[in-house]
Amino acid sequence: MDLYEYEARELFKSHGIAVPDAAVVTSPREARAAAESLGGRVVVKAQVKTGGRGKAGGVKLAANPAAAQLTARQILGMDIGGHVVRRIMLAQAADIQAEFYVSYVLDRAAGVFLAIASAEGGTEIEEVAASRPEAVARIPVDPRRGVDAAKSAEIAKAAHLPPETALVLAQLWQVLVQEDAVLVEVNPLVRTVSGQILALDGKVTLDDNARFRHARWGSSDEADPGADPLEAAASAKGLNYVRLDGEVGVIGNGAGLVMSTLDVVAGCGARPANFLDIGGGASARVMADGLTVILSDPAVKSVLVNVFGGITSCDAVADGIVQALESVHLTKPLVVRLDGNNAARGRAILSGRDHPLVEQAATMDGAARRAAQLARQGV
Ligand code: GDP
Ligand code: MN
């Protein structure tokens, strides 16, 4: 999971890396007040999970609170690479003398982390890396040894960074390790005219597999005013759901099967309305939650349940569907394809329930064709 810049900054700060004072706001009026309390001269920054904000006009200096208010009005609502700006951060403007690039990334193939660093940081780092790769140092970091004083000095030297950046390199490694991140990046890390080393931007990608160790992660996304309401509802119920823009709702077990189901639906001339993987979850709870989310999408005209039972047995899935029908008011036709472990028993359970809006199909292709046809007929 990627963090917002303002979240990454909090992690930096808690590990001793200096960042300018800042505030996050959602309106131009609040921006003015925030600029006043920050001392007047600020940088106004779009908070979106994408890079290149500066080049897109989403990072601007404002000389005083009135200018900050105007700038906030320009940046709020802006679309940066498909991300609409709902929040901005105001930070005390730094007087930059030099901009550096520093990051740690996981190199999965080599089984090590890489420190990537350059004395030519800033918004042009991609161009620098492409045209003069020698200006960007790439130093392997053995995760068992980490980045101590000697290692951070080695990285700083290789990248031609001033020696006083070594401390930040060691602290940044601690961010990666202690927060369970797979990427931490500071671009730019700057030296100010008064000689201070400050992190002016931050990107952190946390390892989702370690989420259970950090309860507060993701809290900001649930509160994200720009998030899709159905995706937010699904995520609150712990479902693996992604909304798409078609009319056939899709539920399946296992990400691979669900993705092929999307392809097969598309092959039948219809468009999938979502991705929903119930995993090994055959429970009535998961089925009811999944159906509730899918049925509340007004674009959905039919729902396709595609289950290939392996460890999950089809009778458990059928039971789940039957129980879900008790709590969910089915308003759209449901086509169910059960195959694999205990398929015959599962099919018998569904036939026994005999719901007027539920029909079964023997194959994945047949089920997708029928769901597509029902979607075309509309409801
Ligand atoms: P990005 O474009 O999304 O990476 O956004 P950044 O936060 O990195 O900002 C882009 C550029 O704006 C930086 O490389 C700096 O050159 C400039 N910038 C950001 N903050 C400040 C600041 O406090 N003072 C000055 N003078 N420039 C800043
Ligand atoms: Mn940046």
Side-chain angles (χ1 to χ4, degrees):
M1 179 184 56
D2 293 343
L3 297 186
Y4 286 100
E5 177 191 14
Y6 68 87
E7 296 173 312
R9 275 171 43 94
E10 290 307 312
L11 293 186
F12 292 171
K13 225 159 82 176
S14 69
H15 289 273
I17 299 171
V19 295
D21 285 340
V24 176
V25 302
T26 55
S27 73
R29 251 152 115 66
E30 292 172 292
R32 183 182 190 126
E36 248 149 37
S37 61
L38 288 166
R41 200 165 153 266
V42 294
V43 53
V44 183
K45 311 184 73 175
Q47 294 301 290
V48 283
K49 291 182 180 179
T50 183
R53 297 166 305 164
K55 285 187 176 175
V59 176
K60 287 216 164 89
L61 285 163
N64 54 58
Q69 183 170 2
L70 284 176
T71 306
R73 188 166 294 142
Q74 289 166 6
I75 295 179
L76 281 163
M78 190 180 261
D79 184 311
I80 301 182
H83 300 253
V84 178
V85 182
R86 306 282 184 204
R87 274 181 289 218
I88 50 175
M89 185 176 84
L90 287 89
Q92 272 177 356
D95 292 322
I96 301 175
Q97 189 187 67
E99 298 190 60
F100 315 121
Y101 175 95
V102 296
S103 70
Y104 295 108
V105 296
L106 176 59
D107 180 346
R108 291 180 194 275
V112 295
F113 282 88
L114 272 183
I116 305 179
S118 174
E120 299 177 43
T123 55
E124 303 299 325
I125 188 67
E126 266 97 18
E127 288 73 8
V128 172
S131 62
R132 281 182 307 110
E134 70 281 1
V136 181
R138 303 163 70 88
I139 314 280
V141 177
D142 181 339
R144 289 163 299 192
R145 305 192 52 180
V147 178
D148 55 12
K151 188 73 185 181
S152 56
E154 178 197 336
I155 298 166
K157 189 156 182 267
H160 309 293
L161 301 179
E164 64 266 34
T165 59
L167 177 60
V168 176
L169 283 164
Q171 290 165 325
L172 194 62
W173 177 258
Q174 289 307 318
V175 174
L176 180 103
V177 173
Q178 291 181 25
E179 308 297 337
D180 289 312
V182 291
L183 165 81
V184 291
E185 180 191 84
V186 184
N187 184 36
L189 177 73
V190 304
R191 187 174 55 207
T192 64
V193 290
S194 60
Q196 234 192 329
I197 303 292
L198 285 177
L200 287 202
D201 187 13
K203 178 168 180 197
V204 172
T205 305
L206 300 173
D207 183 350
D208 288 330
N209 295 317
R211 214 165 169 149
F212 68 98
R213 286 207 283 248
H214 307 266
R216 68 191 191 97
W217 292 355
S219 53
S220 65
D221 263 4
E222 266 131 46
D224 184 353
D228 181 280
L230 281 178
E231 287 189 356
S235 142
K237 289 175 172 167
L239 295 172
N240 248 328
Y241 169 92
V242 181
R243 191 176 189 181
L244 303 169
D245 52 11
E247 58 287 334
V248 177
V250 174
I251 302 179
N253 64 325
L257 179 65
V258 178
M259 285 190 271
S260 347
T261 309
L262 303 185
D263 283 346
V264 174
V265 166
C268 295
R271 290 178 314 159
N274 67 280
F275 170 101
L276 175 56
D277 170 20
I278 58 168
S283 79
R285 173 85 268 137
V286 175
M287 199 48 90
D289 286 346
L291 279 175
T292 304
V293 169
I294 289 180
L295 292 171
S296 56
D297 180 349
V300 166
K301 302 285 183 246
S302 70
V303 182
L304 168 56
V305 177
N306 186 20
V307 169
F308 191 91
I311 293 168
T312 305
S313 72
C314 289
D315 55 335
V317 174
D319 280 336
I321 295 173
V322 168
Q323 286 176 46
L325 291 174
E326 304 296 318
S327 57
V328 179
H329 176 56
L330 195 61
T331 49
K332 296 158 190 180
L334 192 67
V335 181
V336 184
R337 176 262 184 158
L338 296 176
D339 208 344
N341 184 9
N342 263 336
R345 236 194 281 174
R347 290 179 195 155
I349 291 169
L350 282 186
S351 312
R353 175 61 178 80
D354 197 23
H355 189 288
L357 282 173
V358 179
E359 47 183 278
Q360 299 194 63
T363 65
M364 173 158 158
D365 286 338
R369 259 197 312 276
R370 182 62 183 145
Q373 183 186 34
L374 287 165
R376 266 192 300 276
Q377 289 166 6
V379 278

